[in-house]
Amino acid sequence: MKAAYIEQFGGPEAIKYGDLPDPIADTGEVVVDIVSASVNAADWKVRRGNYGQTRFPLVLGRDFSGTVSGVGQGVHDLKVGDAVFGVCEAGQEGAYAEKIAVKAAIVAKKPAELSHADAAALALTGLTALSAIEDTLKLQRGETILIQGGAGGVASFAIQLAKHIGARVITTASAANHAYVRGLGADEVIDYNAKDFTQVVNNCDAVFDTVGGDVAERSFAVLKPGGRAAFIASGAQAPKPSRSDVTSLRPPVGRARRHMERIAELFKSGAIRVPEIKLYRLAQAAEAQRVSESRHFRGKLVFAVR
Ligand SMILES: NC(=O)c1ccc[n+]([C@@H]2O[C@H](COP(=O)([O-])OP(=O)(O)OC[C@H]3O[C@@H](n4cnc5c(N)ncnc54)[C@H](OP(=O)(O)O)[C@@H]3O)[C@@H](O)[C@H]2O)c1
């Protein structure tokens, strides 16, 4: 199969495109012929060596959509020819490829209404947003949430999900992306280049931070007493709050078929639409990662694998 992979950690130039052996479905696994895979920020963090995997060649990529082409022992609920989408198990990479072997229990059937490109674009972003907004923050109707980094992949799903729940959504974005995030449903948008969000936002019930660093650390300031904040760009642990009357949380982003099915349901019901997508070929993986790594791309970058 063709794949985009690394043989050592490094910059985008470390990514190679070439032939690797086809994977085989182990017990409980399916092989998926990937049609589309998406670029996530995690991919260039893996490439840089931030997660410390040591087995090379290492095929990058965490989410995909495609067609089942092989079924391992013990798999009775998926068959060859099924269109499926999913996210690799935590710690597993491998979606920048024509084929992947993955645990059957964590992939879901792709609804016909959702194209492969759209399904790949919604997989890890949707899973992460669901884990943060519903399972971790337990956002309620009538609450106010600040979502940091509104134009990004995860945040674009999170804004729509929070609105679907019935919350009021404030988000941060550069001026060029204000119309985009308003179109996703944001009630209030702050140009973080022009204003310090801590000066113009307060009394929030919840914060969802997708930016990290200093933005994450300062986000506690906008919470009301008893407020809660969830962080996905600050590593494996949530940052320690600067005050004692709020809760700091790290969404677990656990893999399970039911999460993929919930993404599909939200899409089919019209609650979630697909973010803007820019298509690349797998051979252009280095170029796509450069764009993602710039941290100012809007929407999602998706590989048309076949
Ligand atoms: N399992 C997990 O824990 C998990 C899963 C998915 C993602 N993540 C992490 O979550 C983070 C976000 O991922 P993503 O894929 O959604 O990112 P992304 O799509 O690459 O986010 C890029 C966006 O961030 C915005 N941005 C950059 N700096 C900003 C700032 N200071 N304030 C507000 N917005 C800013 C940019 O918008 P502007 O151009 O408007 O600035 C851009 O649209 C990454 O660190 C990723 O590793 C974790």
Side-chain angles (χ1 to χ4, degrees), residues 45 128 149 151-154 172 174 177 192 210 232-233 250 295-297:
K45 295 181 186 178
T128 309
V154 177
T172 52
S174 56
N177 290 329
Y192 67 87
T210 74
I232 58 159
R250 203 328 173 172
R295 294 304 324 276
H296 291 290
F297 178 74

Side-chain angles (χ1 to χ4, degrees), residues 4 19 35 47 89 125-126 132 166 186 229 237 250 274 291:
D19 290 295
V35 177
R47 190 207 69 223
E89 281 223 78
T125 55
Q237 305 295 327
R250 203 328 173 172
V274 179
V291 174

Side-chain angles (χ1 to χ4, degrees), residues 122-161:
L122 291 179
L124 181 57
T125 55
L127 178 69
T128 309
L130 284 168
S131 180
I133 300 286
E134 289 190 339
D135 301 342
T136 302
L137 290 169
K138 302 186 193 320
L139 190 67
Q140 303 295 315
R141 168 175 293 277
E143 289 192 319
T144 297
I145 183 168
L146 170 64
I147 298 177
Q148 299 280 20
V154 177
S156 70
F157 195 109
I159 291 171
Q160 298 179 79
L161 182 60

